[in-house]
């Protein structure tokens, strides 16, 4: 079974993250991802970067809900 730690590791292998938090039950996952790679990109493009980082591993994940932020957006969340 895929764990939240697995999903986090998979994403980080393909995408440099300043912060990542993944929660889930083995099939459904929620992720908060902060990356400089998101700068200048819309939400769809940001999510595509995450899916690209996951690659074929996405087949093991039934559902992935994500919130993506640039470092600046993340800093302004507080």
């Amino acid at each position: 079974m895929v764990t939240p730690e697995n999903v986090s590791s998979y994403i980080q292998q393909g995408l440099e993250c300043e912060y990542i938090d993944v929660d889930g039950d083995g099939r459904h996952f929620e992720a908060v991802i902060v990356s400089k790679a998101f700068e200048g990109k819309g939400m769809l493009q940001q999510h595509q970067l995450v899916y690209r980082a996951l690659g074929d591993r996405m087949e093991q994940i039934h559902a992935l809900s994500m919130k993506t932020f640039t470092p600046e957006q993340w800093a302004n969340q507080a």
Side-chain angles (χ1 to χ4, degrees), residues 17-29:
C17 301
E18 278 68 30
Y19 174 82
I20 185 167
D21 181 50
V22 180
D23 191 26
D25 63 7
R27 290 181 41 92
H28 301 89
F29 296 91

Side-chain angles (χ1 to χ4, degrees), residues 7-69:
V7 175
S8 178
S9 176
Y10 298 157
I11 293 170
Q12 291 180 76
Q13 288 173 26
L15 182 67
E16 188 175 330
C17 301
E18 278 68 30
Y19 174 82
I20 185 167
D21 181 50
V22 180
D23 191 26
D25 63 7
R27 290 181 41 92
H28 301 89
F29 296 91
E30 295 179 2
V32 175
I33 306 161
V34 180
S35 176
K36 289 180 185 177
F38 298 151
E39 292 177 355
K41 294 180 173 50
M43 185 175 54
L44 178 61
Q45 291 172 311
Q46 293 174 5
H47 289 198
Q48 288 172 334
L49 286 174
V50 176
Y51 288 130
R52 194 171 305 132
L54 287 166
D56 293 340
R57 295 179 184 114
M58 194 59 204
E59 295 173 10
Q60 303 169 24
I61 301 168
H62 179 71
L64 174 63
S65 171
M66 65 183 107
K67 294 181 182 176
T68 54
F69 301 91

